[in-house]
Amino acid sequence: MSESPVPHEPPIYRRIADGLRARILSGELRDGDRLPGENALMAEYAIARATARQALAVLINEGLVVPKRGSGVYVRLFKPIRRHGSRRLSREQWGQGRAIWEADARGRPFEVDRVEVVLERASDEVASVLDSREVWVRRRRYSVDDRPVQLSTSFFPAHLVEGSAITLPDTGPGGAYARLGDLGVPPAHFTEEVRARMPAPRESALLELPGGTPVIVIARTAYTSGGLPVEVNEMVLDSAAYVLQYDFDA
Amino acid sequence: MSESPVPHEPPIYRRIADGLRARILSGELRDGDRLPGENALMAEYAIARATARQALAVLINEGLVVPKRGSGVYVRLFKPIRRHGSRRLSREQWGQGRAIWEADARGRPFEVDRVEVVLERASDEVASVLDSREVWVRRRRYSVDDRPVQLSTSFFPAHLVEGSAITLPDTGPGGAYARLGDLGVPPAHFTEEVRARMPAPRESALLELPGGTPVIVIARTAYTSGGLPVEVNEMVLDSAAYVLQYDFDA
């Protein structure tokens, strides 16, 4: 492995980025505000254009600001959604610790569109987990504050849900999990597999992602208390819009 | 919201990418093998150069292949590490379900380098969570199969760990958590906050990330059974090297 030194003092572009970030997070610079441009940064800090560009690139990569072609870099604030992976084990039950990353979902209703319900042949991965090649697939897109934040695709074994409201656009009161309960196979355990990657072009378009924004992909499998897999839900999340939280015991 | 149609049949570049991916995952194309170049793809599928480039970009973005300047695109296979966030609740206890994403950590020892142990002034976030401005910081880098996969930085309240082996390069048998136990404050609960973003230049260099590879950032806080926060551990993971798994009950 290479032995290049790890600097203790951050380089100048990073300190400039830190300063700009602090002005955004303090509320001095707000959603839609224009950041100082390359020329302004060059003059203020006596730095080269490449350094100014690097400072702005840090904030662009963090999803805090967005470049608009030919007009500069703008604040793109969106308070991330805190998604609880394990609510029953939540920290709320045993303590009142603070969070590293401020985020909240309360009082922010989701809108759902692009609902699609179809019978399909499953991918090898989904077929292997559900032990079923034929699957009913429910696709939808979630938005918060008019911003698309998540694409969600649920797969159900066709032989299990055929004839139930899970195969209809409206699953009825309580949703698909209530229908699984009606069928005698209510979900009791969940496994979530989490990855991150750059978006596919279709995902980028549907989530309206600015360049350089990765997605978080969650594959959640729901099992009955007897260990029967009844659903795979693949969620593709705008990484700038989410903090995932998981609580567990030692 | 825009109403652009969502195609059911994937576009040609995506089908080409799917075919190449299948050849990689089946083992036909192996680690270090060169993929067909743009010219070869153009000839084989009668497509434009931009389409061939798009097909290769899909696999590059997925971290399956790496472009080498002026010489083509190469398979970069690395079986992802499965990181269990909640081992005690693991699926192994109640069922034998299969996983969506094949990944494994067994039999793959981690190497640790770039260990650094210093007393520092905490960031606002860490200070707020640990209720301490002065923190002992332990930094290190983990590698698997000679590939750096994770940067890990642990923060401990200085007043709590001062004088213990947590302030020394070698924390002794059982590591830092055993020392917290010696101090009467063993970790009992964990909260993990998970995000994804593009890497900072320093992270990119230390993890030797090819362009277009995001990082997963996990901020884990360890609490005693009484709810006292005793450690914040910020982990920066090469997203191409990891699958995070969390198991929990409905």
Side-chain angles (χ1 to χ4, degrees):
Chain A
M1 282 168 206
S2 67
E3 285 297 328
S4 62
V6 179
H8 285 235
E9 178 75 4
I12 177 73
Y13 76 87
R14 194 144 265 282
R15 277 177 280 147
I16 294 171
D18 289 347
L20 290 171
R21 189 191 304 103
R23 289 175 63 189
I24 295 171
L25 298 180
S26 73
E28 182 194 334
L29 287 168
R30 303 207 290 183
D31 211 358
D33 281 357
R34 189 175 179 283
L35 253 63
E38 291 174 11
N39 292 330
L41 292 176
M42 289 163 68
E44 185 176 348
Y45 297 97
I47 52 173
R49 182 171 303 278
T51 308
R53 199 167 288 169
Q54 238 180 331
L56 293 172
V58 168
L59 302 175
I60 293 170
N61 281 341
E62 290 174 355
L64 273 181
V65 303
V66 201
K68 295 190 182 170
R69 204 173 294 273
S71 96
V73 171
Y74 291 82
V75 177
R76 178 184 189 255
L77 269 189
F78 177 86
K79 192 164 174 163
I81 300 159
R82 183 172 297 271
R83 175 186 181 279
H84 288 266
S86 44
R87 174 72 71 179
R88 276 187 57 196
L89 297 169
S90 170
R91 191 170 48 183
E92 289 160 27
Q93 294 199 340
W94 48 264
Q96 287 301 326
R98 298 190 189 86
I100 286 280
W101 292 312
E102 220 188 327
D104 193 7
R106 278 163 283 200
R108 300 169 78 187
F110 283 93
E111 275 168 58
V112 179
D113 69 350
R114 296 183 180 273
V115 175
E116 182 185 276
V117 185
V118 282
L119 184 64
E120 283 182 6
R121 192 178 155 77
S123 70
D124 288 347
E125 289 83 1
V126 169
S128 152
V129 170
L130 291 181
D131 231 335
S132 178
R133 180 56 77 175
E134 265 209 320
V135 287
W136 273 96
V137 182
R138 302 186 60 87
R139 295 192 172 84
R140 63 272 190 201
R141 179 174 72 167
Y142 293 96
S143 299
V144 166
D145 300 345
D146 278 332
R147 169 174 162 161
V149 293
Q150 178 182 150
L151 307 176
S152 178
T153 308
S154 290
F155 304 89
F156 303 89
H159 62 86
L160 192 69
V161 302
E162 199 62 73
S164 80
I166 289 175
T167 66
L168 305 176
D170 180 1
T171 51
Y177 284 6
R179 295 298 79 69
L180 287 173
D182 298 344
L183 292 165
V185 288
H189 304 292
F190 296 98
T191 289
E192 294 198 346
E193 297 175 64
V194 179
R195 299 193 73 163
R197 58 168 169 75
M198 295 313 286
R202 178 182 173 279
E203 296 164 341
S204 199
L206 284 172
L207 291 173
E208 298 170 15
L209 297 175
T213 304
V215 288
I216 296 174
V217 187
I218 306 176
R220 180 176 66 194
T221 307
Y223 299 86
T224 64
S225 57
L228 180 75
V230 290
E231 183 210 24
V232 167
N233 185 353
E234 190 187 80
M235 291 159 267
V236 178
L237 281 54
D238 173 354
S239 64
Y242 276 94
V243 173
L244 315 183
Q245 180 176 333
Y246 296 95
D247 301 284
F248 50 93
D249 294 334
Chain B
M1 282 168 204
S2 67
E3 285 296 327
S4 60
V6 179
H8 285 235
E9 177 76 3
I12 177 75
Y13 75 87
R14 194 144 265 280
R15 276 177 283 148
I16 295 171
D18 289 346
L20 290 171
R21 188 190 304 104
R23 290 174 63 191
I24 294 171
L25 297 180
S26 73
E28 182 194 335
L29 286 168
R30 303 205 291 185
D31 210 0
D33 280 357
R34 190 177 179 282
L35 252 62
E38 290 174 13
N39 292 329
L41 293 175
M42 289 163 67
E44 185 176 350
Y45 296 98
I47 53 175
R49 182 171 302 278
T51 308
R53 199 168 289 169
Q54 237 180 331
L56 295 172
V58 168
L59 302 175
I60 293 170
N61 281 340
E62 290 175 354
L64 272 181
V65 302
V66 202
K68 296 191 183 170
R69 203 173 293 274
S71 95
V73 171
Y74 292 82
V75 178
R76 179 184 188 254
L77 268 189
F78 178 86
K79 191 164 177 163
I81 300 159
R82 182 171 298 272
R83 176 186 181 279
H84 288 265
S86 46
R87 175 70 72 180
R88 277 186 57 197
L89 297 169
S90 171
R91 191 169 48 184
E92 288 161 25
Q93 295 198 340
W94 50 263
Q96 288 300 322
R98 296 189 190 89
I100 286 279
W101 292 313
E102 220 188 327
D104 193 7
R106 275 163 286 201
R108 300 169 79 188
F110 283 93
E111 275 169 57
V112 179
D113 70 350
R114 296 183 180 274
V115 175
E116 182 186 275
V117 185
V118 281
L119 184 64
E120 283 182 8
R121 191 178 156 78
S123 69
D124 288 347
E125 289 84 0
V126 169
S128 153
V129 170
L130 291 181
D131 231 336
S132 178
R133 181 55 78 174
E134 265 209 322
V135 287
W136 273 95
V137 182
R138 302 186 60 88
R139 295 191 172 83
R140 63 271 190 200
R141 179 172 73 169
Y142 292 97
S143 300
V144 166
D145 300 345
D146 278 332
R147 168 175 163 161
V149 292
Q150 179 184 150
L151 308 176
S152 178
T153 308
S154 290
F155 304 89
F156 302 89
H159 62 87
L160 193 70
V161 303
E162 199 62 72
S164 80
I166 289 174
T167 67
L168 305 176
D170 181 0
T171 50
Y177 284 5
R179 294 299 79 71
L180 288 173
D182 298 345
L183 293 166
V185 288
H189 304 292
F190 295 97
T191 290
E192 294 199 345
E193 297 174 65
V194 179
R195 301 194 72 164
R197 58 169 170 75
M198 296 311 287
R202 178 181 173 279
E203 296 164 341
S204 199
L206 283 172
L207 291 172
E208 298 170 16
L209 297 175
T213 305
V215 288
I216 296 174
V217 187
I218 306 176
R220 180 176 68 193
T221 307
Y223 299 85
T224 63
S225 57
L228 180 76
V230 289
E231 183 209 25
V232 167
N233 185 352
E234 190 187 80
M235 291 160 267
V236 178
L237 280 56
D238 173 354
S239 64
Y242 275 94
V243 172
L244 314 184
Q245 180 177 332
Y246 296 95
D247 301 285
F248 50 94
D249 294 334

